[in-house]
Amino acid sequence: MKTSVEKNPGEARDAVRERAERGSTPSRLSWDWLVFNATVFVASGCIMTVEILSTRLVARFLGSSLYTWTSAIGVVLAGISLGNYLGGRLADRFHPRRTLSLLFIAASLCCLSIPMMNNWIGWWEALNAFSWPTRIFLHFALAFLLPATMLGTMAPVVAKMALSMGQGAGRTIGTLYAWGAIGSIVGTFVAGFFLVAWIGTEGAVLLVAGVLALMGIAYGYRSWVPYAWTAAYAGVMLCALGSWSSTQAVAVAFGLRERDTGDIVFQQDSNYQRVMVRTAVGSPNERRMVLDKLVHSQANLRDPLEMKYHYAMVYAEVMRRWHPANAPVTALVIGGGGYVFPRYLEIAYPGSYVEVAEIDPVVTQAAFEVFGLPRDTSIRRYHMDARNRVQDLVRRKRAGEAVPVFDFIFGDSFSDFSVPFHLTTLEFDLQLNELLSDDGVYMLNMIDLLDSGRFLGAVVNTYRRAFPCVYVFSASGLTEERDTFIVVCAKRYLDLSDVVATIRAKNVFTGDLLTPEQLARLAERSGDVVLTDDYAPVENLLAPVVRRFKASKEEEKTRAEEFIRLIDQGAFERLIARCREVLKDDPDAARAHFYLGVALAKQGRLDEAIAEYRAELQRDPGHATSYANIGLAEAQRGDFEAAVGAYRAALKIDPRDATVRCHLGRALLRLGKPEEAASEYREAIRVRPGYARAHDDLGVLLLQRGEAAAAVTEFREVLKLDSNYPGVRNQLGQALAETGDLAGAAESFGLAVESEPSNADYRMNLGLAFQRLGRATEAAAQYQESLRLKAENPPVMNALAWLLATSAEDRVRDGAEAVRWAERLCQMVGRDNPELLDTLAAAYAEVGRYDEAVQTARRALELASGGQQTELADQIRARLKLYEAGQPYRE
């Protein structure tokens, strides 16, 4: 039988060496115990930190719900289980200490990749094919299973090392388990209560990766691997935290920073969500507050009474009906958001008592800093869960304390598919009833489908148990699309029959008051469900909404394909009509404004096109292509300053768009900024290696600046990338001619002519190269063919006339033909050009008309001298002497 040493002699030698190095003194054993326990403590703490952070990262795309927490816990536990199994196998096969170092490094790398993977998966359209719960699970699995698995591999390796110390197996394992559990607890509380609010979600992920990298060094301090990785990690941190544009671009690409689109005026991770405020395109006083993935509030800083949402219009009109105008009210608002409606109450009803239960203090901070809420507001803010605030008021009321008796309670805490179920239950509604006056009204908004309405029906069933009268408004009146509904609950009958008509007279409003028959159908569809603290399956009730949302995404994709097909067909009138039809049915339809802008631009209706692109940006501020197309339209209008601004806005969103960089370079050239243009072309090449257009644009610029040799390099690079790139052989020929390589220039021009035989300019350039090479016959043939293709081309006419009049080859010269071309040219452009008159004089001399040659040459000399064309004047003067002597001029 083979011994263990025979099975793995390397491992045995390492173990012997380690025991020799470690020794066996009690103090050394105590130190090892501390190290091992600390290791499982740190690894377990990192696992729980990643689990907490995972829900925050995914919420930006999918919200927060029972599905997200279930998926997060399940995926992380699966990763830990798989990691424990793999870690045990690795511990048996390899030296534990070195293995542990590499595992920590691998875990650090996996954690560092989380932001990038989360962003990539969040925008991956393939996941739209799955149901909502499945999509959430797949998102977590793809982004977090591998990091959780790597973090789970640590414990078995540490356990093997601890067991080698010779202590009792039960005591050893039990102690490690205990420290692992303590680490999990500490990681949970530190992440949830401290880290996110301190350094944000991405910052917390980076910190975890850094801690793991340091642990890798601690266990592998003799190896270069952990040091190399830690250096790479430091580089990533530099990109994430640095203020340089290049590092910021890298950080954005890897998901370590939010892309700066220029419209973000506030951004911070709170303990509850990511809070962001953006300005509207072209209107800095228009603000949008985005909580995770949902636009929660909109405000006009110049007009705080303006209602942006239909549900707020209903709130305001119902209030106006049942409360005297300008008389103070006592109101509770559940969910502050941008504090738009609480501020409306404060201004429209002076002297009112308004309190807001807003769980997130960062939301309030944003409202103060950038959403127009004045610092001296009378609104009372309670940063706590609304359920807790209500419970506290009810408890105090029952104890005989003086508490507010509310005329109105407004609910504004539901976010898309993320519903705080504890604010929907019968128990909560009964508490709200207890806080309302006898004439009090409770209103809230929520999302559902009218033709399904399972959640809405359950809400109505529940509220009817707490309030005698329940009414429901739809915000848009649609029967097949997701809609916002406003539920109005009162202790007595309210006549709301003409509320809709009044709102429509003041605002664009397509909603309606649901009839008793519609409410009855909703109750039936919900199965007479009543929501309670014990039973509130809101996610399941909203499942049809999620499925319809998925279907609408598929419809958007199909519609975009239709729009693109119409563009390819050149059917712009049909595209305009189709886009307007879509926008009539859904003013917020994705990309309809954009494609309408494309069609209008194709027809030259640039002002209208720009307006449509801006409308698309109002709907989606991050749509870089709309900015780019605004730039193209402004350039067509000749406003290159505006074009540059639009291109730069597009590049803030997508700095790796090489095509936009080339457009920006061309606009900068038109503004006389060649250095900046060259910089943009080179950046386009850097971000998109192998982009022929960028090399070509740079080559043209270099040629214009007289850097012909550098231009040759760029044009040859274009040919390597795309041998059929339009015009590049002609441009290469021009650059080669500038460098003095006339043979190379002729060859390149010849290839250009072969590729486009009907291009008159290419033939002219080839003729010029032949003429400079002394190949007059071939030059004349190219000039003549060029003029056949393009009859009135002054440069070619002049070159041909000169060649026919002055060529040293007898067979080429044709004085009569030279006179014909030269006289025709002068008739076309006039007799004020010294070069053309010089050609005409040479032609006259060739046919023996010396008096006319002398007269014409003297006029040419006069013009050249007056125009400070010294070199040309000297040449004409020399030829004039020949004419006066009765001799023609020869090249």
Side-chain angles (χ1 to χ4, degrees):
M1 178 182 295
K2 291 185 178 180
T3 66
S4 61
V5 174
E6 292 172 322
K7 288 181 180 179
N8 195 338
E11 182 179 342
R13 285 194 299 271
D14 289 334
V16 171
R17 186 184 302 112
E18 186 171 323
R19 285 197 296 271
E21 292 173 350
R22 186 174 66 232
S24 58
T25 63
S27 61
R28 184 65 192 186
L29 292 174
S30 298
W31 171 253
D32 286 346
W33 267 109
L34 177 62
V35 170
F36 296 151
N37 291 332
T39 301
V40 295
F41 174 90
V42 171
S44 299
C46 288
I47 289 175
M48 292 310 299
T49 300
V50 168
E51 181 174 344
I52 296 296
L53 298 177
S54 70
T55 61
R56 297 301 308 277
L57 289 166
V58 173
R60 299 172 190 179
F61 298 98
L62 304 173
S64 180
S65 65
L66 180 63
Y67 296 137
T68 57
W69 278 104
T70 301
S71 298
I73 294 169
V75 166
V76 171
L77 287 176
I80 293 172
S81 301
L82 180 59
N84 288 166
Y85 171 76
L86 295 175
R89 298 293 297 270
L90 292 171
D92 286 339
R93 294 191 61 184
F94 303 102
H95 183 259
R97 185 177 295 275
R98 288 202 299 268
T99 300
L100 202 55
S101 174
L102 294 175
L103 290 177
F104 272 116
I105 296 302
S108 175
L109 174 60
C110 288
C111 288
L112 197 62
S113 71
I114 284 174
M116 179 181 65
M117 291 296 296
N118 182 65
N119 285 348
W120 178 72
I121 295 165
W123 295 108
W124 191 21
E125 292 188 358
L127 293 184
N128 292 334
F130 297 94
S131 66
W132 191 250
T134 303
R135 178 182 176 183
I136 293 174
F137 167 75
L138 289 174
H139 189 126
F140 275 98
L142 292 170
F144 300 101
L145 181 61
L146 183 57
T149 299
M150 295 310 305
L151 288 166
T153 59
M154 317 294 183
V157 180
V158 175
K160 180 175 181 180
M161 295 173 66
L163 287 171
S164 69
M165 295 173 57
Q167 303 295 317
R171 175 188 172 189
T172 300
I173 298 300
T175 302
L176 291 175
Y177 277 10
W179 279 104
I182 294 171
S184 296
I185 294 168
V186 172
T188 299
F189 285 118
V190 168
F193 291 156
F194 177 65
L195 277 184
V196 172
W198 176 44
I199 56 177
T201 309
E202 281 86 359
V205 171
L206 291 175
L207 181 61
V208 169
V211 169
L212 294 171
L214 292 177
M215 292 296 292
I217 290 178
Y219 275 97
Y221 61 90
R222 291 182 175 178
S223 170
W224 62 270
V225 175
Y227 296 103
W229 167 244
T230 304
Y233 168 80
V236 173
M237 288 294 291
L238 183 66
C239 290
L241 303 177
S243 58
W244 306 280
S245 59
S246 57
T247 61
Q248 290 176 358
V250 174
V252 168
F254 281 88
L256 302 175
R257 272 188 172 183
E258 187 73 25
R259 180 177 287 120
D260 182 10
T261 59
D263 61 346
I264 299 175
V265 294
F266 183 95
Q267 180 176 252
Q268 185 173 328
D269 274 343
S270 73
N271 284 329
Y272 302 94
Q273 58 210 334
R274 167 160 288 193
V275 181
M276 183 186 299
V277 177
R278 294 178 180 270
T279 60
V281 177
S283 181
N285 290 306
E286 298 281 341
R287 301 288 170 87
R288 290 184 174 189
M289 181 175 286
V290 183
L291 305 182
D292 280 335
K293 72 185 184 74
L294 185 72
V295 177
H296 193 276
S297 301
Q298 295 188 64
N300 181 353
L301 300 188
R302 290 181 176 175
D303 184 6
L305 296 180
E306 181 183 353
M307 298 293 177
K308 296 287 188 180
Y309 288 110
H310 289 165
Y311 75 81
M313 298 174 189
V314 174
Y315 285 2
E317 185 58 27
V318 172
M319 279 191 69
R320 193 188 65 79
R321 290 303 180 84
W322 300 103
H323 198 87
N326 298 321
V329 298
T330 302
L332 166 64
V333 181
I334 298 172
Y339 283 75
V340 176
F341 197 76
R343 193 177 178 203
Y344 166 82
L345 296 174
E346 181 182 34
I347 297 172
Y349 295 85
S352 295
Y353 174 90
V354 181
E355 70 172 61
V356 174
E358 169 54 59
I359 195 171
D360 193 342
V362 176
V363 169
T364 303
Q365 176 188 345
F368 276 124
E369 292 185 12
V370 296
F371 228 73
L373 183 64
R375 293 288 179 180
D376 60 351
T377 179
S378 63
I379 300 169
R380 293 163 174 81
R381 289 93 57 198
Y382 295 89
H383 294 127
M384 58 194 307
D385 189 284
R387 182 82 180 246
N388 300 131
R389 176 59 182 165
V390 168
Q391 286 175 335
D392 183 56
L393 289 171
V394 169
R395 178 188 57 76
R396 290 166 53 196
K397 179 180 180 181
R398 291 173 181 175
E401 297 182 33
V403 299
V405 177
F406 296 109
D407 302 308
F408 295 95
I409 297 177
F410 303 95
D412 191 13
S413 59
F414 294 3
S415 298
D416 201 26
F417 305 134
S418 302
V419 177
F421 80 92
H422 61 295
L423 302 184
T424 68
T425 64
L426 178 60
E427 291 84 350
F428 180 64
D429 296 337
L430 291 171
Q431 292 174 346
L432 293 179
N433 186 311
E434 197 169 340
L435 295 176
L436 281 169
S437 66
D438 291 339
D439 293 329
V441 177
Y442 168 44
M443 291 182 272
L444 78 154
N445 64 82
M446 53 170 289
I447 287 175
D448 204 342
L449 296 168
L450 184 57
D451 62 351
S452 170
R454 292 175 59 198
F455 179 44
L456 177 59
V459 167
V460 171
N461 293 339
T462 305
Y463 290 0
R464 280 177 168 172
R465 298 286 186 95
F467 298 94
C469 300
V470 177
Y471 311 86
V472 179
F473 290 86
S474 68
S476 61
L478 298 176
T479 59
E480 297 181 355
E481 297 294 335
R482 182 177 68 168
D483 198 1
T484 299
F485 295 91
I486 303 94
V487 183
V488 180
C489 308
K491 293 185 175 182
R492 65 182 180 87
Y493 170 75
L494 302 177
D495 183 5
L496 304 178
S497 57
D498 61 343
V499 166
V500 170
T502 304
I503 297 174
R504 287 177 179 173
K506 303 175 183 177
N507 304 278
V508 177
F509 184 78
T510 57
D512 214 337
L513 177 65
L514 271 61
T515 65
E517 292 76 16
Q518 287 174 313
L519 293 179
R521 284 196 295 272
L522 287 172
E524 182 181 350
R525 290 191 196 117
S526 69
D528 295 321
V529 168
V530 174
L531 304 173
T532 66
D533 287 347
D534 182 58
Y535 182 73
V538 294
E539 286 85 3
N540 301 84
L541 295 171
L542 281 169
V545 187
V546 176
R547 287 194 292 270
R548 186 66 57 81
F549 176 74
K550 173 188 166 185
S552 68
K553 289 294 184 184
E554 289 295 323
E555 182 182 354
E556 286 178 12
K557 181 179 178 181
T558 302
R559 191 166 58 215
E561 291 172 351
E562 176 192 359
F563 292 161
I564 293 170
R565 187 167 58 252
L566 290 172
I567 291 173
D568 292 340
Q569 295 171 355
F572 300 119
E573 283 294 343
R574 286 169 54 196
L575 178 55
I576 290 171
R578 181 71 179 107
C579 288
R580 286 179 171 157
E581 177 186 348
V582 169
L583 289 169
K584 181 179 179 181
D585 295 335
D586 180 7
D588 202 36
R591 301 292 179 262
H593 283 292
F594 170 75
Y595 285 109
L596 177 54
V598 171
L600 291 167
K602 291 290 187 181
Q603 292 190 333
R605 299 157 66 178
L606 299 177
D607 290 344
E608 296 174 75
I610 291 172
E612 293 301 329
Y613 295 142
R614 294 198 181 281
E616 182 64 34
L617 288 167
Q618 187 74 32
R619 192 197 67 81
D620 179 7
H623 192 227
T625 310
S626 287
Y627 277 118
N629 281 19
I630 289 173
L632 291 172
E634 294 288 10
Q636 283 183 264
R637 296 200 305 183
D639 189 346
F640 294 102
E641 287 284 0
V644 166
Y647 292 143
R648 292 199 190 281
L651 289 170
K652 279 187 177 180
I653 299 171
D654 186 4
R656 299 186 64 82
D657 192 326
T659 301
V660 174
R661 288 201 178 276
C662 286
H663 286 309
L664 174 57
R666 292 179 177 183
L668 289 167
L669 269 182
R670 297 297 296 268
L671 291 173
K673 299 178 179 180
E675 292 296 336
E676 293 181 51
S679 176
E680 293 300 333
Y681 295 146
R682 290 190 172 101
E683 181 63 14
I685 293 168
R686 188 190 68 79
V687 299
R688 186 175 166 186
Y691 186 33
R693 178 176 180 177
H695 285 287
D696 184 60
D697 283 353
L698 180 58
V700 171
L701 173 57
L702 292 169
L703 185 58
Q704 291 173 350
R705 293 169 60 182
E707 300 177 43
V712 167
T713 301
E714 296 301 328
F715 293 139
R716 282 180 170 158
E717 186 64 28
V718 174
L719 287 170
K720 289 180 185 177
L721 297 168
D722 182 359
S723 60
N724 295 316
Y725 195 89
V728 69
R729 295 190 184 280
N730 182 64
Q731 291 165 171
L732 175 59
Q734 291 175 325
L736 289 168
E738 290 292 327
T739 64
D741 185 359
L742 296 178
E747 180 183 4
S748 189
F749 288 136
L751 292 172
V753 168
E754 285 182 16
S755 64
E756 293 186 55
S758 60
N759 191 303
D761 292 334
Y762 293 177
R763 290 190 177 277
M764 176 189 71
N765 288 337
L766 179 56
L768 289 171
F770 282 151
Q771 186 171 356
R772 292 180 64 185
L773 284 168
R775 296 159 63 176
T777 302
E778 294 167 278
Q782 293 300 325
Y783 291 151
Q784 289 165 346
E785 182 62 18
S786 176
L787 289 170
R788 186 187 67 79
L789 295 168
K790 187 177 179 181
E792 297 186 353
N793 189 337
V796 183
M797 294 167 68
N798 188 57
L800 178 59
W802 181 261
L803 184 64
L804 294 173
T806 66
S807 175
E809 298 183 29
D810 294 341
R811 61 179 178 175
V812 173
R813 287 197 313 278
D814 186 338
E817 190 70 5
V819 169
R820 187 175 71 82
W821 281 113
E823 287 183 338
R824 180 178 173 187
L825 181 56
C826 288
Q827 288 174 357
M828 284 176 53
V829 302
R831 291 178 173 262
D832 294 326
N833 187 308
E835 291 184 5
L836 302 187
L837 291 176
D838 186 27
T839 300
L840 180 58
Y844 283 148
E846 174 62 21
V847 296
R849 296 162 63 177
Y850 291 111
D851 290 342
E852 292 172 274
V854 169
Q855 182 181 356
T856 304
R858 285 174 178 170
R859 176 59 180 161
L861 178 60
E862 179 184 347
L863 291 171
S865 300
Q868 305 300 314
Q869 295 174 265
T870 306
E871 184 178 354
L872 177 61
D874 290 342
Q875 293 172 355
I876 295 173
R877 189 177 291 110
R879 286 191 276 271
L880 176 58
K881 290 181 179 180
L882 290 174
Y883 305 152
E884 289 174 337
Q887 298 178 14
Y889 173 74
R890 297 282 182 270
E891 282 275 79

